[in-house]
Amino acid sequence: MMQQQVVVLGATGSIGESTLDVVARHPERYGVYALTANRSVDSMESLCRRHHPKFAVMMDAESADMLSQRLADSCETRVLAGEAAMEEVARADDVDIVMAAIVGFAGLKPALAAAHAGKRLLLANKEALVSAGRVFMDAVAQGGATLLPIDSEHNAMFQCLPANQQARPQTRAVEKILLTASGGPFRGWTREQLSDVTPEQACAHPNWSMGQKISVDSATLMNKGLELAEACWLFDCTPGDIEVVVHPQSIIHSLVRYCDGSVLAQLGNPDMRTPIAYGLAWPERVDAGVAPLDLFELGRMDFERPDTAAFPCLRLAQEAITQPGGMCVLNAANELAVAAFLERAIGFTDIDQIIEKTLETITSGEPQTLGAVEDLDDRARLAAREHIARLTSDSQVVG
Ligand code: NDP
């Protein structure tokens, strides 16, 4: 078997590390071509020593200098810096598979480079797809890339949809896609109870161990809103084709209901190595190192409707999906609001307020080019920053 060369964008993150865990289990199938990160020099150094990539790219130039010095004794890994270098490794001729696991809009350009170059693109970085939407999907189509969803829910949908309809399920055979949500750490809480939760509480997800940003998104239900938009782009459907179902155990990762009454579900322990291994090996399957699901241990599974009154982010996303450029604006505002919450500048229930205000402030057409997407993202960030500043100065006056 020919060894396939893998690039991991966002290698030092939670998805990055899980990807490298699966890759390292199959050295005959996969080699590591390049790893990228932002500033985590310590983690990157140890990943380079363990996985021997040809290139290590740090977004931050000072971090790249530091990493170069640390790896001076190793002639295997060349250290590069900046976004252009990330794009370069993502499109390199020798590369077969690119894992897009940078968090947020920052991951868009390297993911697009992989799409344009026709790679097998494993998409964890949902913010890139929901912000750029049509521009992203056009890059995949024009580059002849193979786009495989890594988000566990979309990976489950992909597995449950008919093999020849994974890109267009809304034929008569498929009635509904059921997108499962854990409900996050505050499931069942009232709006009042949510007003003074801390970043530590918000990041303590009951089932998944993830990066901070997606943990907060899960706690606000914005993650489900982003995933709704992601599913619409991936499977060429509309929000009306998808129903969100809260399933607190996170064992069913999503379901597809067919017109004959059959409902297909994909189940598994909540461990991202399963969808990652699926994306790496598809259409084959490889060992992911995941413990077998024990149904007797699990005992029961529960289902409920999402509470969009206490958690308005899902409703905001449902509305934004129908507005041209709405998800790009929503995503930008959400990134800034979550960062402000993690820095303790605003409260948990301020997150949806900032997003709602930003959506009211910024209107646009559907961006048709990368430049237009970047411009809209910039404008939304500027507006969100102003709303955050207003809120924090108001609360200082009150305090
Ligand atoms: P983490 O925060 O754990 O990791 C983020 C990675 O992105 C790190 O390698 C980080 O580098 C890098 N990074 C951050 N900012 C920049 C930047 N400006 N430029 C370049 N690189 C950057 O995130 P996760 O692994 O949890 O999530 C990654 C993506 O996958 C997100 O889009 C998330 O929504 C999605 N996802 C995650 C799941 C999970 O279980 N974690 C599940 C499904 C989807 P550094 O360490 O140097 O900061």
Side-chain angles (χ1 to χ4, degrees):
M1 175 181 294
M2 273 267 288
Q3 200 194 41
Q4 294 181 288
Q5 293 301 310
V6 181
V7 172
V8 184
L9 303 167
T12 50
S14 158
I15 293 287
E17 300 232 15
S18 294
T19 304
L20 289 167
D21 180 280
V22 178
V23 162
R25 289 168 192 275
H26 304 282
E28 71 299 346
R29 293 182 79 114
Y30 308 114
V32 179
Y33 182 83
L35 302 177
T36 84
N38 188 18
R39 293 172 197 270
S40 299
V41 175
D42 290 347
S43 308
M44 189 58 130
E45 182 188 356
S46 70
L47 290 179
C48 289
R49 294 196 185 282
R50 208 173 325 143
H51 299 284
H52 313 287
K54 285 198 177 61
F55 296 96
V57 189
M58 302 302 290
M59 181 68 181
D60 174 60
E62 260 179 52
S63 305
D65 286 346
M66 211 183 294
L67 183 66
S68 275
Q69 287 163 21
R70 301 258 196 102
L71 293 176
D73 60 333
S74 143
C75 54
E76 295 163 302
T77 302
R78 237 184 98 195
V79 179
L80 306 172
E83 189 172 49
M86 290 192 190
E87 292 176 60
E88 215 172 290
V89 295
R91 70 164 80 91
D93 287 345
D94 291 344
V95 169
D96 304 289
I97 302 174
V98 176
M99 165 58 81
I102 292 173
V103 59
F105 190 81
L108 175 59
K109 279 188 170 171
L112 280 181
H116 280 298
K119 305 301 181 193
R120 169 176 294 216
L121 177 55
L122 309 187
L123 184 74
N125 178 204
K126 64 193 92 182
E127 298 93 338
L129 174 58
V130 306
S131 298
R134 172 58 49 216
V135 172
F136 195 104
M137 295 308 288
D138 284 352
V140 169
Q142 284 159 15
T146 305
L147 180 62
L148 293 169
I150 296 304
D151 231 332
S152 58
E153 294 80 356
H154 305 74
N155 192 270
M157 293 168 196
F158 187 87
Q159 294 194 43
C160 296
L161 285 166
N164 58 350
Q165 288 174 23
Q166 278 149 340
R168 193 174 283 277
Q170 76 279 42
T171 57
R172 263 166 286 153
V174 173
E175 261 186 12
K176 206 80 168 176
I177 292 177
L178 305 174
L179 167 60
T180 56
S182 70
F186 308 132
R187 186 176 55 87
W189 289 36
T190 63
R191 192 82 181 150
E192 291 66 42
Q193 287 173 303
L194 291 171
S195 60
D196 54 4
V197 304
T198 64
E200 288 73 20
Q201 288 173 296
C203 288
H205 196 281
N207 307 333
W208 298 94
S209 154
M210 310 182 285
Q212 284 193 316
K213 195 261 175 183
I214 184 175
S215 297
V216 177
D217 286 347
S218 298
T220 59
L221 283 201
M222 180 52 91
N223 189 42
K224 230 27 70 180
L226 297 174
E227 289 180 1
L228 189 63
E230 184 184 9
C232 290
W233 286 114
L234 285 171
F235 305 120
D236 196 10
C237 53
T238 65
D241 298 320
I242 302 168
E243 188 172 350
V244 176
V245 181
V246 174
H247 162 48
Q249 290 89 357
S250 300
I251 294 296
I252 298 181
H253 300 303
S254 277
L255 316 87
V256 176
R257 194 172 78 219
Y258 287 85
C259 60
D260 61 359
S262 296
V263 179
L264 300 192
Q266 188 260 349
L267 287 74
N269 284 321
D271 187 323
M272 287 306 293
R273 290 176 301 173
T274 296
I276 290 167
Y278 184 85
L280 283 167
W282 177 83
E284 295 171 26
R285 296 211 182 232
V286 292
D287 170 37
V290 175
L293 175 61
D294 183 340
L295 289 173
F296 300 107
E297 172 78 12
L298 173 66
R300 59 180 276 181
M301 290 193 279
D302 298 287
F303 305 95
E304 41 190 81
R305 289 181 202 286
D307 177 358
T308 49
F311 300 92
C313 282
L314 176 57
R315 173 183 56 79
L316 290 174
Q318 282 165 332
E319 289 164 9
I321 292 171
T322 65
Q323 305 298 317
M327 284 306 290
C328 183
V329 174
L330 173 141
N331 177 68
N334 183 52
E335 286 190 22
L336 289 193
V338 169
F341 167 68
L342 287 170
E343 288 160 13
R344 294 181 160 74
I346 64 170
F348 186 77
T349 49
D350 294 330
I351 296 175
D352 54 78
Q353 306 279 318
I354 302 286
I355 297 164
E356 186 153 27
K357 288 202 176 96
T358 309
L359 282 164
E360 283 162 11
T361 323
I362 303 291
T363 51
S364 114
E366 187 65 39
Q368 304 291 338
T369 61
L370 174 59
V373 171
E374 288 181 308
D375 180 57
L376 184 55
D377 174 79
D378 277 349
R379 287 201 292 133
R381 276 169 205 266
L382 201 65
R385 232 173 249 125
E386 279 168 14
H387 292 307
I388 292 169
R390 210 163 299 144
L391 195 75
T392 50
S393 66
D394 285 354
S395 64
Q396 273 158 17
V397 173
V398 173

